[in-house]
Amino acid sequence: MYGAERGKKRRAAENCFSTVRQITNALRDAHGLVDLRITLRVWHSEDSKEKLDVAIKSGHFQLHTLYSDSFQDLEGIIDNQKHLRLFGIDYNPRAERYFNVSKLIKNLCHSQIDSKRKLPYIFMFSIGGYSGDISELTLFPELCRPGHAFTLCEAIATSLRTDCYNFIRTDCNFIIHIFDFTHAEAATICKLIEGMAQHLFAGCEHFTMRVQTRAVQGTALKPWRIPGFLTSISQFRQLQYLEFDVPGDKSVLHCAAIDLRSFLLEELSFAYPTLEVVTVRNSVKRARLKSPCWEIVTENCAYSYNR
């Protein structure tokens, strides 16, 4: 059984390498190419990764749209593709892979701030199962230029609708990832939520806000109290699952859960009768609140997105 599994993986890697070779050969002559979407659903070697990187960065073509998996040299591609407008990064939803890619995007965010560098619109997405449908989609408010939130959302929606293979699942988890809660613009966060509701996620059932900032010792972050947040998520008429990922220890999580329950009982549950489960979590624990009583149940996390 073990040998058969190894053989299957080896054949998959060989097929992938063969596919990459064909793609890289074709890209050398694709001088007018402006829209490129490559997603390799299986593991591929460092050699095949490097070949793809070189082909995309070669200068044989200048892309406007690129979908690429998270194994690629993302920063190098952005540096070499000067006309890139939209960059969709396909990633494995496992926490470790997500963390590695989001760390790179955080560095890009800092470089944009420090050098006033103009980056393409960047988003992350994950393909779920064998259907090829998109199961997660992540936006980063700090990468969104002022006044461009609706434009970004419209660009993503238009691009995804031209893809014959990837459809948005009805239970797709829409994620807003905030690197630094103290610097993120509340207005931009809310506009991104409203923009995605208008252009792509009118039937959103699952929404997550992921905050990476390290909280001040003993202080709980409360992203649900961002001004305008309640109004913005009201655009999601079928919202069932609401999740907040925040940094902090066990006591901070407990304080956050108490405040979240208060917010639920005072405002949220009345405004959204479809809501079933609300969760706030840190690196090791999560507090789940379920309708209709919204009692707090704390349990261990299997994985963490906060580092």
Side-chain angles (χ1 to χ4, degrees), residues 16-285:
C16 183
F17 184 79
S18 175
T19 301
V20 168
R21 185 171 61 248
Q22 294 175 42
I23 292 172
T24 53
N25 289 338
L27 288 177
R28 293 192 186 100
D29 299 318
H31 302 295
L33 185 65
V34 294
D35 190 327
L36 176 62
R37 308 182 187 204
I38 299 177
T39 299
L40 298 175
R41 303 286 167 78
V42 296
W43 175 87
H44 51 109
S45 68
E46 283 296 316
D47 187 43
S48 62
K49 167 187 174 295
E50 185 177 352
K51 287 181 182 296
L52 268 180
D53 283 346
V54 170
I56 295 173
K57 296 184 293 186
S58 64
H60 293 305
F61 45 83
Q62 286 297 313
L63 297 172
H64 295 168
T65 300
L66 172 63
Y67 289 9
S68 174
D69 67 42
S70 57
F71 292 89
Q72 308 307 317
D73 177 12
L74 305 180
E75 189 163 10
I77 289 171
I78 290 173
D79 287 339
N80 285 274
Q81 288 290 339
K82 305 295 185 184
H83 300 282
L84 194 60
R85 301 171 187 169
L86 184 66
F87 195 172
I89 302 171
D90 181 8
Y91 70 96
N92 186 311
R94 289 182 304 176
E96 189 64 33
R97 178 64 60 189
Y98 181 96
F99 173 74
N100 290 339
V101 182
S102 64
K103 184 178 180 180
L104 171 59
I105 294 176
K106 182 178 181 179
N107 293 337
L108 287 173
C109 180
H110 287 161
S111 72
Q112 176 180 245
I113 294 171
D114 295 340
S115 63
K116 296 184 179 179
R117 178 186 187 188
K118 187 177 180 180
L119 296 173
Y121 293 138
I122 297 174
F123 69 101
M124 288 170 55
F125 66 95
S126 178
I127 304 298
Y130 295 100
S131 65
D133 295 342
I134 293 175
S135 59
E136 286 189 2
L137 191 145
T138 305
L139 298 183
F140 303 89
E142 288 132 304
L143 284 179
C144 183
R145 298 189 291 276
H148 282 243
F150 273 31
T151 305
L152 166 61
C153 296
E154 185 177 13
I156 293 172
T158 301
S159 179
L160 288 175
R161 289 193 182 107
T162 63
D163 196 325
C164 299
Y165 299 99
N166 299 137
F167 300 94
I168 302 292
R169 283 171 29 173
T170 55
D171 61 345
C172 177
N173 184 11
F174 172 40
I175 302 168
I176 293 287
H177 187 124
I178 303 167
F179 295 116
D180 190 341
F181 194 67
T182 58
H183 293 148
E185 293 286 342
T188 300
I189 295 169
C190 293
K191 289 297 183 184
L192 286 175
I193 295 171
E194 293 168 17
M196 292 308 282
Q198 177 180 330
H199 293 291
L200 200 63
F201 281 117
C204 179
E205 298 177 358
H206 190 169
F207 174 71
T208 299
M209 187 175 291
R210 192 164 286 152
V211 184
Q212 209 168 310
T213 316
R214 290 296 175 189
V216 177
Q217 185 68 30
T219 302
L221 289 176
K222 303 170 184 176
W224 46 89
R225 294 198 182 272
I226 290 175
F229 174 72
L230 195 62
T231 302
S232 296
I233 64 167
S234 68
Q235 307 295 317
F236 299 143
R237 305 293 184 184
Q238 300 175 38
L239 188 65
Q240 297 179 27
Y241 305 99
L242 183 59
E243 183 174 345
F244 299 94
D245 292 1
V246 297
D249 57 20
K250 183 178 179 180
S251 62
V252 170
L253 179 67
H254 180 68
C255 292
I258 291 174
D259 185 79
L260 179 56
R261 184 172 188 269
S262 174
F263 183 67
L264 270 166
L265 294 174
E266 292 169 6
E267 301 184 61
L268 197 58
S269 60
F270 295 104
Y272 307 102
T274 59
L275 202 58
E276 296 179 7
V277 179
V278 180
T279 303
V280 58
R281 56 182 289 166
N282 63 12
S283 59
V284 293
K285 295 281 186 179

Side-chain angles (χ1 to χ4, degrees), residues 7-19:
K8 186 185 296 184
K9 288 183 178 180
R10 184 178 65 253
R11 287 191 296 273
E14 290 171 353
N15 290 337
C16 183
F17 184 79
S18 175
T19 301

